[in-house]
Amino acid sequence: MADEGIRETRVHTLLILGATGDLSRRLLLPGLARLIAGGRAPGLVVVGSGSRDWTREQWQDRVREAFRSEYDDADMDGQRELSAAVQRSRYLQMDLSRPDDLGASLHTFDVPLAVYFGLPPALTLSVVQGLNRDDLPPNTLLVLEKPFGTNQSSARELNRLLADLVPEKDIFRVDHFLGMTTVMNLVGMRFSNRFLEPVWNSLHIEKMEILFDEQLALEGRAKYYDSAGALEDMIQSHLLHTMAFMAIGPPASLGERDLRDLVAAVLRASSVPEDFPASTRRARYTAGVIEGKEIPGYTESPGVDPHRGTETLAEIEIAINNERWAGVPFILRSGKAQARRRKEAVVTFRPVNHLPGGFTGDTALPSRLRISFNPAFLELEMNVNGPADIFKLERSSLTAELHASRLTAYGEVLEAVLEGNELLSVRGDVAEECWRIVDPVLAAWRENKVPLQTYAAGTEGPRDWNTSRSNP
């Protein structure tokens, strides 16, 4: 891979703010464990910080427990690395409502230093507001979790504050959906096959769908999710960026600037058509059954405000107003408590201009390319002559496995953080563009201009949604 945008020195200390929370326990520390066991984070010092009055031993117990699964599967060298990382780790109790505490602590760590803001958006903003340049050792990397702000204006303000502290190259905005595997699988497929690029445009493609449905329901996340919903949590934060990688033109190289400039250009050209009842849809799950388990309705979950109108299934149509994609709808959908798990992009090609008379069978079905992100594979659905009747067309599929990283999604992102690889970081202008696209939709939904539909947990959504059908 091109080394443009990669630092010359690796991060030596990773400071996790909000380290006693769920994000650290479930995602960050297990992702680090696989990196460390594979020898890909030599000598890394992990410092946890939180408001709880923990001892170093209590924190090390948390790290050890998060590392346990990887430790059990590792060889002797990997186990040795993991044990050493636990012993190096330490804990720093800190009241983030007093920014001076953080500023005074940063110079006590070995550098290069990465500060990971595993915090809610409002707290991240207040902590950044309380920092100044003198608080940060040279080349400190600031790592921020999505969402970046709560709308375009707050994202712009957060970017302004960050730019007063460090240059853009020292800001890493995390989108764990865009791990190296996802990005390179898309770019490799798109631009290494001559037969694809000539048809990757509005002349040959009817629509694109980016779908992320999960069987998980609320799972105790009401404090965050009920104030966000599916549109902010998934489409704004992740699927728009994935869509942009599907829609970019050919880059000159795999350098971060070549790729991220193209992503930004796609998003600048993107918008949701203003007839929001036609271009957007939202729904919320009611009680149901998922794989034999009874799921209470969303509004019955602890911590949920039933009057807030939070959606658990969202779908928006994006128009990309450029020469390549004019007239092609990009449909982005994400939902919870679904009947099945889908993490895929579906490219539907236009029908042939003319089919010779005399064929029977599946003559009206278009060709489709499915790109599954997890598990990682390609499936090309096409019509072929049937084995029993040469004149009857039947559906057939060609499949291919894509690269599957041994690292978790957060493991890939954390490796990029430690290396300072900007390719997997969301650039500041891109973060603002994603909010620009969805802000008008959010406003329309708050004013109830688009009805809030319902669907039973364990189903595929409202029956009148085309994307809720088993074979969209």
Side-chain angles (χ1 to χ4, degrees), residues 45-253:
V45 177
V46 181
V47 180
S49 174
S51 59
R52 299 182 188 179
D53 185 16
W54 281 10
T55 64
R56 180 172 183 171
E57 289 71 26
Q58 285 176 297
W59 166 248
Q60 289 182 345
D61 286 343
R62 163 63 66 91
V63 177
R64 189 178 293 108
E65 182 61 30
F67 283 8
R68 186 175 304 282
S69 177
E70 190 63 33
Y71 184 91
D72 292 342
D73 293 337
D75 58 21
M76 290 184 62
D77 288 339
Q79 291 180 347
R80 191 180 303 113
E81 289 287 339
L82 288 167
S83 295
V86 171
Q87 293 305 310
R88 286 193 301 268
S89 68
R90 58 193 181 95
Y91 182 74
L92 182 66
Q93 185 182 7
M94 192 181 303
D95 181 2
L96 291 177
S97 66
R98 298 166 53 188
D100 290 347
D101 289 358
L102 176 60
S105 300
L106 295 179
H107 287 278
T108 67
F109 302 122
D110 291 338
V111 295
L113 167 69
V115 182
Y116 198 110
F117 289 76
L119 306 170
L123 185 53
T124 293
L125 179 61
S126 68
V127 172
V128 171
Q129 286 173 329
L131 291 172
N132 60 68
R133 289 191 180 190
D134 293 337
D135 293 328
L136 305 177
N139 297 318
T140 294
L141 184 65
L142 302 180
V143 187
L144 293 92
E145 267 288 334
K146 280 194 168 183
F148 315 123
T150 55
N151 51 36
Q152 186 183 17
S153 62
S154 64
R156 185 180 295 120
E157 174 63 10
L158 180 57
N159 281 336
R160 184 191 67 77
L161 292 168
L162 291 168
D164 287 342
L165 296 173
V166 295
E168 176 67 23
K169 70 178 182 63
D170 290 334
I171 304 168
F172 196 108
R173 300 173 188 83
V174 172
D175 182 352
H176 69 274
F177 269 46
L178 292 180
M180 191 63 71
T181 296
T182 299
V183 171
M184 289 302 108
N185 279 344
L186 287 177
V187 174
M189 176 208 69
R190 285 276 319 275
F191 303 114
S192 67
N193 296 292
R194 184 167 186 135
F195 71 90
L196 273 181
E197 185 57 21
V199 300
W200 209 260
N201 53 56
S202 60
L203 293 176
H204 301 283
I205 290 177
E206 184 176 277
K207 64 179 179 179
M208 280 201 194
E209 296 164 287
I210 314 291
L211 311 171
F212 188 92
D213 285 349
E214 54 185 343
Q215 291 180 305
L216 290 176
L218 191 55
E219 305 294 325
R221 294 183 68 213
K223 184 177 181 180
Y224 163 71
Y225 193 88
D226 199 43
S227 62
L231 180 55
E232 288 189 34
D233 183 48
M234 289 300 307
I235 294 178
Q236 185 279 141
S237 288
H238 304 299
L239 301 193
L240 279 170
H241 215 150
T242 305
M243 177 203 77
F245 270 101
M246 292 288 292
I248 60 173
S253 75

Side-chain angles (χ1 to χ4, degrees), residues 287-341:
V289 178
I290 300 176
E291 295 187 338
K293 179 182 177 181
E294 292 188 4
I295 305 296
Y298 178 80
T299 58
E300 301 161 21
S301 302
V304 167
D305 179 357
H307 303 294
R308 194 190 296 270
T310 301
E311 80 286 351
T312 60
L313 174 63
E315 179 177 302
I316 65 173
E317 177 184 317
I318 302 290
I320 302 179
N321 299 303
N322 60 21
E323 173 63 24
R324 181 185 287 259
W325 295 117
V328 177
F330 283 73
I331 299 167
L332 279 54
R333 164 185 163 134
S334 181
K336 285 186 170 296
Q338 295 286 295
R340 59 188 174 125
R341 184 170 173 263

Side-chain angles (χ1 to χ4, degrees), residues 240 243 265-276 279-280 316-322 328-332 433-441:
L240 279 170
M243 177 203 77
V266 166
L267 292 172
R268 284 196 301 272
S270 299
S271 60
V272 180
E274 290 186 2
D275 182 4
F276 296 128
S279 61
T280 74
I316 65 173
E317 177 184 317
I318 302 290
I320 302 179
N321 299 303
N322 60 21
V328 177
F330 283 73
I331 299 167
L332 279 54
E433 288 297 330
C434 289
W435 278 116
R436 176 193 59 78
I437 293 167
V438 303
D439 274 352
V441 179

